[in-house]
Amino acid sequence: MTTIPATTTHPDGRVELTDSSAVEDSQYYNTELAPVPTEKRTWTTYNYCALWVGMAHNIPSYTLAASLIALGMDWVQAFLTITLGNLLVLIPMLLNSHAGTKYGIPFPVFARAFYGIRGANVPALLRALIACGWFGIQTWIGGAGVHVIASKIFGDWWANASQIAGKPWTLWASFFLFWVIEIWIIWRGMETLRRFENWAAPFVIAVAVVLLVWILIKAGGFGPILSQPSKLGWGSGFWTVFFPSLMAMIAFWSTLSLNMPDFTRFGAGQRQQMLGQTLGLPTTMSFFAILSIIITSGTQVIYGEPIWDPIALSNRFDNTLVVALALFTVLVATVSVNVAANVVSPSYDFSNVAPKLISRRGGALITGVLGVVIMPWYLLESPEVYIFAWLQTYGGLLGSVAGVLIAGYWLVHRTQLNLVDLYRRDGRYWYLAGFSWQGLVATGVGMLLAVGGVYSNPGAGPFPEDGLIPFLKPLYDYSWAIGLVASLITFLVLTGPNGNRREPADRSAAAPVATP
């Protein structure tokens, strides 16, 4: 048996796997899940800021803000709700991002420390399936944009083609064309994504500002727009809508609050990723929110009704060139967020199930197929379904995972993980047959309390009006917060009297480790 030094800890605190022979024979290791070498951790503050600009400026985030107007809020109420939600979700996002930068590991490998090497597949697959839903939603939106552009070019025969499953066959063709474009970009790898985000981000901002100017001219300035009254007031009617909406705003990026290590593993340092994300997420989301709020409020003035779908709004323009530019921007924005937020993560998550069989590319293909099978067009039928059924439900589920990650990494392990053991069957994270019952039980408790009382308003969703578990119904309005707090406390309780002890530093960095 030979021994080798397995890892090195650099002066800035980042840990590097110096010799992969310590783990490369493990069935839980492949090159995509492996720690990123420090020479390849090159993402700067600008790269992270551009990543968030590209991801924040997309159609679902536009409709997220616009739908609050459609639900009866005025521009002040909608803006405050979105801004507060993004400031709150930034906290767990930065806490979980730390491990990616320090150890160079993606989210499913990070989760192994708290769920077990096998048990990590539970939160990873949950995150992956939600990403598949989002991939399908974004691809459907992009395909709709392609269909509108083609309709302007080819005329009625394309726009009013014969229908399949209640929709023109040309819309299905546009959907699958857009699907192919996205899969091609992710097939090229992370460096292609980084370059795409760098130019897509400023382009989308510029065109969004042009659309805002057009709306202001048509509506007669800010006055008529900002004077649109709230239909909810500031009484009980507003607060009844506010708290579920706030949870939905948080849920919108609760996906990335888990899997940001997939991106921060490429960071040049903690300062770069923290500053880039802090500058990128809340500022750009708030900026884009106010754009979409003003534009949607402007459509109320111009057309007599709030148009919360930007593709439907673009189709109202008379000038074909303007329509083409607006929808091309929609396509760029959609590709930008979909590839980054909804393909990168599940490609790693599916690979984590069988690292020797499923590569990152294979995981991306699985994501693409499931994104179609989920039939995303149903999730966009109304603001009620979009916000209260889709966003709020999965927000509670993912908040329950975030609570375990934060408790485990910061309070139990105190940011000290053994990098080699994250890939080894005989390491400290194997727990009981590869599962940590504490992590799984804590997550289950959080999920039960967060979404057990899920309900829908009459005729506005798939759930019973009284809630699946009626006595838990009041908790559902606070689903993400309930899930996070409940799972965090439960995990700390279940780890027992030694739960707060400091995890020994990575022993492989200080002493040789035998190769398996």
Side-chain angles (χ1 to χ4, degrees):
M1 178 182 293
T2 60
T3 59
I4 58 172
T7 66
T8 296
T9 301
H10 294 276
D12 63 359
R14 291 183 298 165
V15 180
E16 181 177 18
L17 184 66
T18 51
D19 192 331
S20 62
S21 62
V23 293
E24 62 187 6
D25 291 335
S26 170
Q27 69 185 93
Y28 303 104
Y29 172 94
N30 66 23
T31 55
E32 277 94 15
L33 297 176
V36 176
T38 52
E39 66 269 16
K40 294 185 178 180
R41 302 187 199 179
T42 58
W43 284 37
T44 65
T45 298
Y46 176 78
N47 293 138
Y48 285 108
C49 193
L51 176 72
W52 272 113
V53 172
M55 290 197 296
H57 292 141
N58 65 87
I59 303 312
S61 65
Y62 178 103
T63 56
L64 189 68
S67 63
L68 296 180
I69 300 296
L71 288 172
M73 291 188 184
D74 64 18
W75 73 273
V76 174
Q77 294 169 334
F79 180 73
L80 290 176
T81 303
I82 291 171
T83 300
L84 180 59
N86 283 289
L87 288 173
L88 290 174
V89 80
L90 182 65
I91 298 172
M93 193 171 296
L94 292 178
L95 291 175
N96 289 328
S97 293
H98 187 278
T101 303
K102 182 172 183 176
Y103 296 99
I105 53 176
F107 159 64
V109 175
F110 173 45
R112 291 174 181 180
F114 322 111
Y115 289 93
I117 290 180
R118 287 175 171 170
N121 286 318
V122 174
L125 288 177
L126 173 65
R127 168 67 183 96
L129 291 174
I130 292 170
C132 290
W134 269 120
F135 177 82
I137 289 172
Q138 295 273 13
T139 304
W140 182 255
I141 289 170
V146 171
H147 183 257
V148 171
I149 292 175
S151 297
K152 293 291 183 181
I153 296 172
F154 300 123
D156 287 344
W157 77 267
W158 181 275
N160 300 314
S162 57
Q163 295 193 348
I164 298 176
K167 302 183 187 300
W169 71 263
T170 49
L171 178 56
W172 295 113
S174 301
F175 172 61
F176 285 106
L177 173 62
F178 198 72
W179 184 92
V180 170
I181 293 172
E182 293 175 315
I183 295 297
W184 176 80
I185 291 177
I186 194 61
W187 200 266
R188 296 291 301 273
M190 290 296 289
E191 185 60 24
T192 298
L193 172 62
R194 184 180 69 87
R195 291 197 299 266
F196 179 80
E197 294 288 359
N198 284 345
W199 75 263
F203 174 79
V204 172
I205 292 176
V207 176
V209 170
V210 171
L211 178 59
L212 172 64
V213 171
W214 180 86
I215 285 287
L216 290 175
I217 293 172
K218 294 286 288 185
F222 282 105
I225 292 176
L226 300 185
S227 64
Q228 293 291 310
S230 169
K231 297 178 182 178
L232 304 174
W234 287 94
S236 59
F238 168 71
W239 297 108
T240 300
V241 175
F242 169 76
F243 286 108
S245 298
L246 179 64
M247 292 301 104
M249 300 307 110
I250 295 172
F252 189 80
W253 290 123
S254 65
T255 51
L256 271 293
S257 73
L258 299 186
N259 74 275
M260 269 310 291
D262 294 341
F263 300 96
T264 59
R265 66 195 296 234
F266 298 98
Q270 297 290 0
R271 182 179 182 277
Q272 287 86 341
Q273 65 90 1
M274 290 182 67
L275 185 59
Q277 292 197 77
T278 302
L279 292 175
L281 171 59
T283 54
T284 53
M285 275 296 288
S286 296
F287 174 70
F288 201 54
I290 199 66
L291 282 179
S292 60
I293 289 167
I294 292 174
I295 291 169
T296 304
S297 298
T299 62
Q300 176 76 50
V301 176
I302 298 169
Y303 300 109
E305 60 176 336
I307 302 175
W308 71 300
D309 181 353
I311 293 177
L313 175 58
S314 299
N315 207 21
R316 295 283 188 106
F317 301 154
D318 297 325
N319 189 303
T320 301
L321 181 60
V322 172
V323 173
L325 177 62
L327 292 175
F328 177 73
T329 307
V330 168
L331 303 186
V332 170
T334 303
V335 170
S336 179
V337 66
N338 216 18
V339 172
N342 303 319
V343 181
V344 171
S345 173
S347 68
Y348 289 132
D349 297 336
F350 287 125
S351 179
N352 190 67
V353 175
K356 296 299 184 184
L357 298 176
I358 305 175
S359 67
R360 174 184 58 80
R361 289 176 171 176
L365 286 176
I366 294 172
T367 302
V369 171
L370 290 180
V372 176
V373 172
I374 275 174
M375 296 186 290
W377 39 92
Y378 291 123
L379 297 176
L380 292 172
E381 289 182 340
S382 74
E384 287 271 1
V385 172
Y386 179 50
I387 290 182
F388 300 132
W390 168 241
L391 288 175
Q392 199 173 342
T393 300
Y394 86 64
L397 299 177
L398 296 188
S400 303
V401 175
V404 170
L405 297 182
I406 293 169
Y409 184 65
W410 289 96
L411 301 178
V412 176
H413 295 273
R414 306 292 176 86
T415 76
Q416 301 298 318
L417 302 179
N418 186 291
L419 188 56
V420 170
D421 281 0
L422 288 169
Y423 298 90
R424 290 159 56 108
R425 182 187 178 96
D426 58 349
R428 69 183 64 182
Y429 306 120
W430 186 246
Y431 298 114
L432 181 62
F435 296 88
S436 166
W437 68 269
Q438 293 96 332
L440 295 172
V441 169
T443 302
V445 170
M447 289 180 176
L448 176 64
L449 295 177
V451 302
V454 57
Y455 69 94
S456 297
N457 292 323
F463 302 113
E465 183 180 353
D466 293 331
L468 286 179
I469 304 176
F471 75 90
L472 293 178
K473 178 181 176 180
L475 299 182
Y476 181 65
D477 287 345
Y478 313 93
S479 58
W480 179 83
I482 292 292
L484 186 144
V485 172
S487 65
L488 186 151
I489 292 174
T490 304
F491 185 79
L492 292 179
V493 171
L494 293 179
T495 52
N498 294 323
N500 286 316
R501 67 178 174 82
R502 183 179 179 85
E503 182 76 6
D506 191 333
R507 65 173 182 260
S508 59
V513 175
T515 56

